[in-house]
Amino acid sequence: MAVRPILKMGTTSLMQPSVEWPSDKFASPELSSLLNDMRETMVDAHGAGLAAPQIGQNVRVVIFEVLENPRYPAVSVPFTVLINPTITPLSDTLEEGWEGCLSVPGLRGAVERYDHIRYTGFDAEGNLIDRTVQGFHARVVQHECDHLDGVLYPMRMSDMSKFGFTEVLFPNLAPYDDH
Ligand code: NI
């Protein structure tokens, strides 16, 4: 297990699509090793999520966890390993919200995301995950899965006046919710 370097925006591989995790490699030492490194790296960086391409492995594997915190008092998302995910919007409603990303350190931007989605995928053992979620949980999943298609949140922004440095936009908040 190791904390791995997090690639930053500008790195070519961050903008390339990732490949599916092979179905015969669930519950494998290779997957355990990747997931341990991802979790350790996310915790070390105080992140709410991390996608494998952010540590240089272009495979369709993401993790996320949102602990209750002062900024999102009503939000908590259990620690989740999500492999080969699919997302289906359940309504056309878009919500604007602030996002940060460990690959875009020190910045925040407002991004519109679907408010209500169903997502599916597999856990580390290959068991099916199938959840219907809303709000911040839906936002985190869409952000992480975008990484698997080579998309970083600034590429989703429509109003660049809502893009800036965290210390300026939110001077009283610690950077604990990047992903
Ligand atoms: Ni991110």
Side-chain angles (χ1 to χ4, degrees):
M1 301 220 309
V3 173
R4 305 257 294 259
I6 297 174
L7 303 179
K8 293 180 186 173
M9 185 168 67
T11 306
T12 305
S13 65
L14 272 181
M15 284 174 279
Q16 289 171 338
S18 291
V19 299
E20 298 251 309
W21 186 261
S23 58
D24 62 349
K25 286 193 179 171
F26 286 99
S28 66
E30 187 182 349
L31 180 56
S32 292
S33 170
L34 171 63
L35 290 170
N36 285 336
D37 283 3
M38 287 177 66
R39 190 166 190 174
E40 223 176 294
T41 302
M42 180 178 81
V43 169
D44 179 69
H46 305 287
L50 190 75
Q54 291 179 279
I55 59 166
Q57 289 194 231
N58 280 75
V59 291
R60 302 186 80 81
V61 175
V62 303
I63 61 172
F64 46 88
E65 175 177 41
V66 182
L67 305 172
E68 286 186 40
N69 69 54
R71 192 161 153 213
Y72 304 104
V75 171
S76 78
V77 180
F79 178 77
T80 300
V81 169
L82 187 64
I83 300 171
N84 298 343
T86 67
I87 293 177
T88 308
L90 296 179
S91 92
D92 293 334
T93 305
L94 297 170
E95 288 281 341
E96 187 181 83
W98 290 94
E99 296 189 13
C101 180
L102 295 173
S103 294
V104 191
L107 295 160
R108 288 284 188 286
V111 185
E112 289 196 322
R113 301 283 189 186
Y114 291 109
D115 179 56
H116 193 195
I117 64 169
R118 175 185 178 192
Y119 67 91
T120 67
F122 300 92
D123 69 13
E125 283 74 46
N127 301 307
L128 182 67
I129 294 168
D130 185 341
R131 293 179 183 160
T132 296
V133 302
Q134 285 183 275
F136 194 69
H137 189 157
R139 175 173 301 278
V140 169
V141 173
Q142 288 169 86
H143 176 115
E144 293 315 322
C145 292
D146 262 357
H147 278 294
L148 307 180
D149 295 324
V151 175
L152 300 172
Y153 81 81
M155 297 156 70
R156 292 276 190 203
M157 292 184 63
S158 53
D159 180 354
M160 294 305 285
S161 73
K162 294 176 179 171
F163 188 43
F165 289 92
T166 310
E167 66 196 41
V168 178
L169 290 165
F170 304 105
N172 299 316
L173 290 171
Y176 46 63
D177 60 350
D178 282 353
H179 32 93

